[in-house]
Amino acid sequence: QVQLVESGGGLVQPGGSLGLSCAASGSIASIYTMAWYRTVPGKQRDVVASIASAGTTSYAGAVKGRFTISRDNAKNTVYLQMNSLKPEDTAVYYCYAYVTPVGSNTPRSSWGQGTQVTVSP
């Protein structure tokens, strides 16, 4: 069983900054890609940023240059630093990890519970 626990959401004014973190725990053999997704009511869940185990990153166009994803493989933790936040960044943010559990040869997708980020004056 693998658990992803997010922290760091909240309310911030436009132009402000906020950091999210997500720690993976449980019987983990390997973690491959880690990522952050977000969703708003009525829309699908979209990828915000992703990072491979070796550190290669990718960003959605709407956040490129403002958000930074990073990871600490020793802590099984992924981070998202969000700067110059805009009201349209308001969403529930979900942590994602592609994980091989101990005792398995098959990686599987794991999701966090989601954390609300609200950007408002």
Side-chain angles (χ1 to χ4, degrees):
Q1 191 79 1
V2 176
Q3 298 86 35
L4 300 180
V5 179
E6 300 137 341
S7 60
L11 174 65
V12 63
Q13 293 186 342
S17 298
L18 203 61
L20 305 180
S21 63
C22 171
S25 63
S27 299
I28 298 170
S30 300
I31 302 180
Y32 302 99
T33 297
M34 301 186 83
W36 290 94
Y37 284 71
R38 68 186 181 186
T39 188
V40 297
K43 293 190 176 182
Q44 67 180 19
R45 189 176 298 185
D46 291 325
V47 62
V48 174
S50 65
I51 184 167
S53 56
T56 303
T57 59
S58 178
Y59 296 92
V63 308
K64 194 172 295 185
R66 300 188 296 121
F67 291 11
T68 301
I69 189 171
S70 60
R71 65 190 284 174
D72 185 333
N73 291 331
K75 296 181 179 179
N76 290 339
T77 299
V78 62
Y79 306 94
L80 186 68
Q81 179 62 39
M82 303 181 290
N83 298 328
S84 302
L85 281 160
K86 305 175 181 180
E88 52 264 42
D89 295 317
T90 296
V92 177
Y93 285 71
Y94 294 90
C95 174
Y96 166 88
Y98 197 51
V99 180
T100 299
V102 170
S104 173
N105 293 323
T106 305
R108 62 198 65 178
S109 295
S110 296
W111 293 92
Q113 78 283 1
T115 185
Q116 177 71 46
V117 171
T118 302
V119 185
S120 179

